[in-house]
Amino acid sequence: MRDDVSIEVKNVSKSFRVFVDRGNTLKERVLFSKRRKYEHRQVLKDISFTVRRGEAIGLIGHNGCGKSTTLKLLTKIIYPDSGSIQIKGRVSSLIELGAGFHPDMSGRENIYINAAIFGLTRKEIDERLEDIIAFSELEDFIDNPVRTYSSGMYMRLAFSVAINVDAEVLLIDEILAVGDANFQIKCFNKLKEIKASGTTIVIVSHSLAQIEQICERSIWIHEGLVRMEGKPWEVHPAYLDYMGKKRQAIAEKDAMRAAAGRDKPRQKGDPSLQQVDEENLKRWGNGKARIVDAWLLNEEGKPQKLFETGKDILLRMKYQVKEPVEDAVFGIGFFQEHGVRCYGTNTRLDGLADFTLTKDGAVEVLLKEVPLLPGLYTVDLTIELADGIPVDYYREVMKIEFFSQDRAIGIAQIKHKWRLDENVEGYEARKGEDAASGKDGQDERV
Amino acid sequence: MTMLREIYQYREMVFSLIKRDLRGRYKGSALGFLWTFLNPLFQLLVYSFVFGTVMGAAYPKYYLYLFVALIPWLFFSTSLVGGAGCIYAQKDMVNKIYFPREVLPLVHVTCQLINMLLSFVVLFAVIVVTRHGVNFLALCYLPIIMLVEYMLALGFTLIVSAVTVFLRDVQYVLNIVVMAWQFLSPVMYGLDRIPQRLQGIFLWNPMAPVLLAYRDILYEKKIPDLSTLTMACVMGIVLLAVGLVVFEKLKKHFSEEL
């Protein structure tokens, strides 16, 4: 295994025996051995992927696709039928929170038990104890028995232990439903911090947004195989698209069944509606409506591609409707090179009601004082349904470039002020300069 | 070997689960930890009344004769009967978290060992009160025989706890087996009650040499037979090895069965 690889999964397959009528007692085993029918269900057929050290990946897929099985294999709770899994370093999992908690023992004692189950030694737990207690925000209750805790407090304590294990590899299954909104944000930030410190993270989640926020890569597992792998914003639209079509197929089948009663031949949809620009994976959607043109306009209403940082930009897009779309949502996104998302929003997030599109039209959005720092950016435009299914998800529709006097680095300009106190050498001299330029010891930059 | 290293790595888990078990056991009961001492004491009273007074005592100081073997036997039998379900009982943990599965039987058996050691406090109190006296040289062999019994108990518990995952009956079958086993072991009687020609077979019971050694040390106040001791040691090591191998084979499929 290469040095910078943290997890290597090679040609792994796994099948389970699924019992039709399962018995685990002697009587059932002996007397009804024929009745104990089972079938082999191949959950994973041939999965291979590697995760580099410090990388965060998300496993996505519909229910029963094998993503949770993959996570269990990584945890070494179950073992593959064939193929190999290699993991470097200590593994911690946010799968079962609060393992081994004893209700009659205090929070502090339970921290020791729970952390020990993750394989920490006493010394390691001692070192982390303060952090764990502080993170859980349970300082005042830490010596009370856990049975007196509310379920939220219980989960907070459990999560604090799991996340402070400092493992090299962190496996997460459907998390961040812990505690109140504040604590969730805290957990999320902690996860980002852990990631920044070089921990490898594997997340299984139905929340694509969470994966997009943390992971560099998504792996879409479909019927026991890796169907697609890549940047989350490349994989997720394709996945949503697939799910949307699947749902549509089910809906059509239902409609057909309903229609069959009336014996009416159903009109086949126009095949052109399904067209997607698949050649470069930059466009997805069911095609009921299409973005046909888009412009970036300056304050005078003139189209241009180059803007000064901090100026208003008017974005206008024209769309064509081929079939009426209900609950449509318009979205925009700005990306830096290498796919770093700088900003993204949509009409739904902004609290605008979902639209019904029946005929061609245009949408405008006025972007005020766009603070993006100099450089080249790309713009995504989307029409989606309220549940995230893409109608027309158009990546990199156009490029936009910014220029500015500001030589700061990063993505966005943050308005700021420096204040120096008189102990800083050169303060007097600066003060003189500032006086000359009409300022008062403060450098203000907008 | 990697397995042993891993168990060592998880030593803190073993310690804290033992602590949790011992501390959690009598939480909420009025007499609390005192039960650890009261239990063997009451058992002793019942047994020595029935088999000493009612049935007629076959040995002098029968209560002591019985007690020195009964306590080690209880350690062994509770290890097995309780230990059979120790993995099944923790199925949530086994299903969700990775840790060396050997930890669970190890914790259970060690807890029983600690209970036995506490019962020995009661035993020595009885020895002192009745002025039975001790042979200090013989006492040196006590830790050895405890270790041997510990290996035996651990070996058996590893096997039954793993098999119980796949076949839940084992738990209930064990109740009967252990009862029969007790009567076939020299708990309430000695080797002298077994006909000469059956003694060979009788000693194949791995618990027989162990219990005889306890009685030699504490009741007869003499150093146990070298042959008895060797036999016990060999059986202890073999059973522990078999237990570990069987457990290792079965543990990979625990999660799928639970």
Side-chain angles (χ1 to χ4, degrees), chain A residues 58-337:
Chain A
L59 298 177
I60 59 167
H62 60 86
N63 288 335
C65 72
K67 58 186 191 301
S68 289
T69 303
T70 309
L71 204 66
K72 279 191 164 188
L73 285 165
L74 292 176
T75 325
K76 283 199 284 178
I77 290 166
I78 53 174
Y79 294 79
D81 297 338
S82 64
S84 71
I85 297 173
Q86 275 185 292
I87 302 183
K88 263 192 233 154
R90 174 185 279 153
V91 178
S92 168
S93 57
L94 293 182
I95 298 177
E96 170 80 345
L97 293 172
F101 270 23
H102 194 293
D104 283 332
M105 292 173 89
S106 75
R108 191 187 300 274
E109 290 167 312
N110 273 305
I111 290 176
Y112 276 94
I113 295 174
N114 192 220
I117 291 171
F118 284 112
L120 263 60
T121 61
R122 182 154 202 98
K123 197 170 140 255
E124 289 171 317
I125 302 172
D126 286 336
E127 285 164 11
R128 291 164 174 77
L129 190 64
E130 287 304 310
D131 287 346
I132 294 172
I133 296 173
F135 191 84
S136 68
E137 300 169 12
L138 291 169
E139 287 93 343
D140 297 339
F141 311 96
I142 203 66
D143 291 309
N144 297 354
V146 165
R147 77 182 130 76
T148 63
Y149 287 18
S150 70
S151 60
M153 287 158 77
Y154 183 94
M155 290 311 278
R156 251 152 62 194
L157 184 66
F159 190 87
S160 303
V161 178
I163 208 151
N164 279 298
V165 168
D166 281 352
E168 277 92 2
V169 177
L170 186 63
L171 307 173
I172 304 171
D173 192 0
E174 293 292 353
I175 37 118
L176 303 176
V178 178
D180 54 18
N182 270 332
F183 193 73
Q184 285 186 22
I185 291 168
K186 195 169 158 183
C187 292
F188 208 76
N189 289 339
K190 177 76 182 173
L191 266 187
K192 286 185 170 170
E193 199 180 295
I194 285 174
K195 192 191 154 212
S197 72
T199 304
T200 309
I201 300 177
V202 179
I203 300 179
V204 164
S205 180
H206 282 113
S207 165
L208 299 180
Q210 281 180 2
I211 289 181
E212 274 167 35
Q213 282 188 60
I214 292 191
C215 304
E216 290 95 356
R217 198 146 58 95
S218 276
I219 296 175
W220 174 9
I221 295 175
H222 183 69
E223 288 172 359
L225 293 165
V226 174
R227 172 140 171 178
M228 194 175 170
E229 190 179 339
K231 297 213 158 60
W233 48 86
E234 288 166 8
V235 177
H236 294 180
Y239 169 67
L240 283 172
D241 188 31
Y242 165 81
M243 292 298 278
K245 281 183 186 147
K246 197 174 153 193
R247 206 172 311 169
Q248 204 175 321
I250 292 169
E252 266 169 30
K253 214 184 265 174
D254 285 350
M256 214 117 93
R257 210 174 294 139
R262 282 170 273 139
D263 202 21
K264 216 154 92 191
R266 218 184 108 79
Q267 209 178 347
K268 269 262 176 83
D270 177 2
S272 71
L273 287 186
Q274 294 295 327
Q275 66 174 304
V276 275
D277 183 2
E278 268 165 355
E279 59 195 17
N280 51 7
L281 281 176
K282 283 199 171 133
R283 204 165 182 177
W284 304 266
N286 60 21
K288 288 184 176 176
R290 301 269 288 177
I291 296 159
V292 287
D293 213 344
W295 306 269
L296 294 162
L297 308 170
N298 66 10
E299 279 156 330
E300 283 104 45
K302 266 171 59 186
Q304 73 187 50
K305 296 275 174 202
L306 183 67
F307 291 87
E308 188 177 354
T309 302
K311 289 282 189 308
D312 294 355
I313 300 171
L314 185 69
L315 193 156
R316 178 185 292 156
M317 64 170 131
K318 257 175 81 176
Y319 58 85
Q320 223 174 55
V321 179
K322 298 190 175 169
E323 239 182 65
V325 180
E326 274 175 40
D327 297 334
V329 175
F330 292 99
I332 53 165
F334 286 85
F335 287 78
Q336 232 176 6
E337 259 185 309

